[in-house]
Amino acid sequence: MNKKSVKMGPDGKYRWAYELNMLTNPTILVEVFKVLGISLAITWVFSMAISLFDGDNLISAARSLASLYAILIAVMLVLGILGYLLYSALSGWKYMVVFEMDENGVEHRQMKQGVEKAKVLAMLSSMAGLGTGNVGAIGRGLLAASHHSLSSAFPDVRLVKAVPRFHLIKVNGLLTKNRIYVDDDNFDFVYDYICQHCPKARKITR
């Protein structure tokens, strides 16, 4: 297996960087639409409940809300796409993320806007080649360059789903939905490693 991007440090943790092209890889946009869809579904349930409470029957309540929610869906689709394109443009059309994984779990760490991939890769290479004492110092540098992070503890994971077409591994717990990106050369290794350390998870590959 080619591990040129996934590197193990002297502390026993695997680390790698992934730069997602937000124009060609739609996975973040799909997540945006899922959130919007859930919000819309919740408001629809509330609206239906109010209509039924006011004395309307189920069919008439659904018909009265159909045209309104058809418009809302169209508006949310347009706003979602425009918002995503604006965010993507401000981010240089790239989503830069660093992953850290060991036998206990995996962490998704989004890097701040403007952080160069070459700089991140250099830091990861240094961490893999230095002693444990220096790993902490470089790790603090990566942490300072991070914008947001999400961790998944493997014992809590209930679903591991591979989507090789988009270099994506979904790692879902009861309360967390983590998204792990990895290149083709290392995809099978990372997916198999996660599956082996998630005994309670259902595994799906497509």
Side-chain angles (χ1 to χ4, degrees), residues 138-156:
I138 300 176
R140 286 190 291 273
L142 278 175
L143 185 61
S146 300
H147 172 67
H148 172 73
S149 66
L150 176 64
S151 298
S152 295
F154 286 149
D156 299 330

Side-chain angles (χ1 to χ4, degrees), residues 49-81:
I50 293 172
S51 296
L52 293 174
F53 183 78
D54 288 340
D56 293 340
N57 61 51
L58 184 63
I59 295 177
S60 62
R63 285 177 177 174
S64 65
L65 292 173
S67 58
L68 172 62
Y69 275 85
I71 295 173
L72 286 177
I73 290 172
V75 171
M76 292 183 75
L77 284 172
V78 173
L79 291 179
I81 292 173

Side-chain angles (χ1 to χ4, degrees), residues 4-205:
K4 62 182 180 181
S5 65
V6 177
K7 301 179 183 298
M8 176 187 278
D11 57 353
K13 294 185 177 183
Y14 291 100
R15 297 178 177 89
W16 68 96
Y18 188 90
E19 189 176 73
L20 184 146
N21 186 317
M22 299 181 73
L23 282 178
T24 60
N25 191 326
T27 52
I28 296 179
L29 180 60
V30 170
E31 295 299 321
V32 170
F33 281 139
K34 283 184 179 179
V35 172
L36 293 176
I38 291 172
S39 301
L40 194 63
I42 292 173
T43 60
W44 182 83
V45 170
F46 268 113
S47 299
M48 285 290 293
I50 293 172
S51 296
L52 293 174
F53 183 78
D54 288 340
D56 293 340
N57 61 51
L58 184 63
I59 295 177
S60 62
R63 285 177 177 174
S64 65
L65 292 173
S67 58
L68 172 62
Y69 275 85
I71 295 173
L72 286 177
I73 290 172
V75 171
M76 292 183 75
L77 284 172
V78 173
L79 291 179
I81 292 173
L82 290 177
Y84 177 79
L85 291 175
L86 176 60
Y87 175 79
S88 301
L90 293 175
S91 302
W93 308 104
K94 295 176 182 178
Y95 181 85
M96 183 69 193
V97 59
V98 170
F99 297 97
E100 186 174 283
M101 179 178 72
D102 61 14
E103 60 184 12
N104 299 311
V106 60
E107 181 180 12
H108 173 135
R109 188 179 296 169
Q110 179 187 354
M111 307 307 289
K112 292 179 180 177
Q113 182 180 343
V115 176
E116 296 293 333
K117 183 177 181 180
K119 180 180 179 180
V120 173
L121 291 176
M123 295 175 73
L124 294 179
S125 295
S126 296
M127 293 176 77
L130 296 175
T132 54
N134 293 318
V135 166
I138 300 176
R140 286 190 291 273
L142 278 175
L143 185 61
S146 300
H147 172 67
H148 172 73
S149 66
L150 176 64
S151 298
S152 295
F154 286 149
D156 299 330
V157 174
R158 295 296 181 269
L159 173 67
V160 180
K161 183 175 182 179
V163 189
R165 178 183 177 186
F166 296 118
H167 305 146
L168 171 65
I169 302 170
K170 297 182 179 182
V171 180
N172 294 349
L174 293 176
L175 300 176
T176 60
K177 295 184 182 296
N178 212 337
R179 299 296 178 258
I180 311 303
Y181 294 96
V182 60
D183 60 49
D184 290 332
D185 290 336
N186 298 274
F187 191 92
D188 290 340
F189 167 74
V190 172
Y191 176 70
D192 291 342
Y193 185 96
I194 292 175
C195 288
Q196 291 169 11
H197 291 83
C198 296
K200 299 179 182 179
R202 184 164 56 99
K203 287 81 174 179
I204 302 175
T205 305

